[in-house]
Amino acid sequence: MVTSASLGSAESLLAGLDDEQRVAAETLIGPVCLLAGAGTGKTRAITHRIAYGVATGAYAPSRVMALTFTARAAAELRGRLRQLGASGVAARTFHASALSQLGYFWPQVIGGTMPRILDSKGRLLGHAAETLRLKLDTAALRDIAAEIEWRKVSRLTVDQYAAVVPGRALPPMLDADKAIAMHRAYETIKDERRQLDFEDVLLATAGMIESEPRVAQQVREQYRFFVVDEYQDVSPLQQALLELWLGDRRDLCVVGDVSQTIYSFAGASSDHLLGFSTRYRDATVVRLEQNYRSTPAIVETANRLMRGRAGALSLHAAVTTGKSPEPTVTSQVSDSAEARAVATRIAEQIAAGTKPQDVAVLYRLNGQAAALEAALGDAGISYQLRGGTRFFELQEVKQALMMLKGALVGATREPLFKTVSDVLRSLGWTQDAPEARGAVRDRWESLNAIMGLAEASAPTTTLREFVDELFERSASQHEPTMNAVTLATLHSAKGLEWDTVYIVGVSEGLIPVSYAKSFEAIDEERRLLYVGITRARQRLYLSWAGGSGRSGPGRGERQPSRFLAELSTRNPGAGATRAG
């Protein structure tokens, strides 16, 4: 029974919400679509909506499921809901929810214990390659694993995948026939060993609900109200499972931002978000466009980048008083010079009172971290790598360091450049970058970063001095991550924010990345830059390097990113300019 006291408590949950957030929170029944721009308080809106539904008696906590895409995001939702008095609500990732249901129903439907879940596809793919007598390195196996994941979340059988594989970017050592053979061998070995991968968990759960009426009935009796965060990232497989969970019910609230769709390569599609009001003609659509995170200048920069794009929201800065610094664009002659300039500026800001943990440096590719790590280390600035393995912990980097150390035995008086080049070539490095994206390209970028460090060394640097420096840098990374500047790829920065953000490498070939050829791929790179820009609260610095500072054939000068021209009314190639 809802009393006047509980109603008063429920109303207090709406206090502090803006008009649009309040509409979202009060619309508890039926289809609801929240188009929520960066920094507009979407998590606040959906958690208060759920808590308000529980407080008013519209929702039984145990019948609400909040779905998201990462364990970190799910934990954040659970924490906020507990604070708002809705601790009984389930907040999980798609995979966690499906795995729980699969573990419960497997003994009833299939019988026996559920197969073991693979931690990683790598080892099994290695065995598959052996059965086919294919010699594939770790990077190629990672790319094949990504292809398998894309196929499954796209709901394609191996035969259906065979029809589309000619248009897919594959590792250089694999043609279409070999790729298809790897898919078949992987599935065969996995089945023989009675194992499931993460995509199988979703597929098997969907299969059980679809084919077993009693399973469908139990699932739908358990959960009645669904909320899906980051809906622009939903894959066809996740959308299909969501529809099976819903059945013929319509109590679904989705939250997303088309401009932050950055995982299309992994099967995510914003089509489901864009088409929501078509599927549900009576849906309540709420646009959250009041940005509470960034200064007006940063908000306007983000708007400029996305102006005219389908489905893009137009953000409005909530705080418009006071003077804030304009975002800037600067250029440097080389990657190392760019990294040093960033490190110098960060050192000045820290000396002036900025906390290191309030600063982030964002980049497109993992390989770009090496120069930044070196520059920050030289400047005595603590840093932490987020969302990926530390540069010196990457397998290919460890291998390169060991081989460079081995090259010290019997080392000649050859130039450092040639010795390092010869060692890296033996590991697969080439002067020109691979065209395809994925692990093969990431491996090349890592090795290329070591080559860049060698080329940036003083002409008199010996191989021993270079190797000693590399190992010293590797050892110095084991430091507390507290009170440290964040280094992160643009992808791993999504969902985070800092007072000060540097985005480096805003040049053609990096943003957009060189293997982005189609209009759709270029547009995804635009959205990736947008995500980076909207991470900044107070200060935003963009930079690019005209070249890597290297000599030799194939070392052409870079050009500023095409996106910079849209952010500034002045020529971004003319040195330091304003992006506002």
Side-chain angles (χ1 to χ4, degrees), residues 15-52:
L17 300 183
D18 65 30
D19 292 344
E20 289 74 24
Q21 292 171 343
R22 188 177 181 112
V23 170
E26 291 180 314
T27 310
L28 300 174
I29 304 299
V32 178
C33 178
L34 305 186
L35 300 174
T40 58
K42 70 177 179 64
T43 305
R44 177 180 176 83
I46 60 175
T47 52
H48 280 71
R49 178 181 185 273
I50 293 170
Y52 183 69

Side-chain angles (χ1 to χ4, degrees), residues 65 92-118 194-212 215 218-219 222-223 241 245:
M65 172 65 78
R92 299 174 181 168
T93 64
F94 273 88
H95 277 94
S97 188
L99 183 59
S100 175
Q101 292 176 12
L102 193 63
Y104 179 80
F105 288 112
W106 188 282
Q108 303 175 34
V109 177
I110 309 297
T113 58
M114 193 177 78
R116 185 170 67 85
I117 307 299
L118 279 172
R194 202 168 177 272
Q195 295 175 323
L196 298 174
D197 59 29
F198 283 106
E199 294 71 43
D200 289 334
V201 170
L202 300 185
L203 287 164
T205 304
M208 281 189 182
I209 297 173
E210 210 163 19
S211 61
E212 297 288 334
V215 172
Q218 282 185 260
V219 168
Q222 182 177 8
Y223 296 112
L241 184 56
W245 282 335

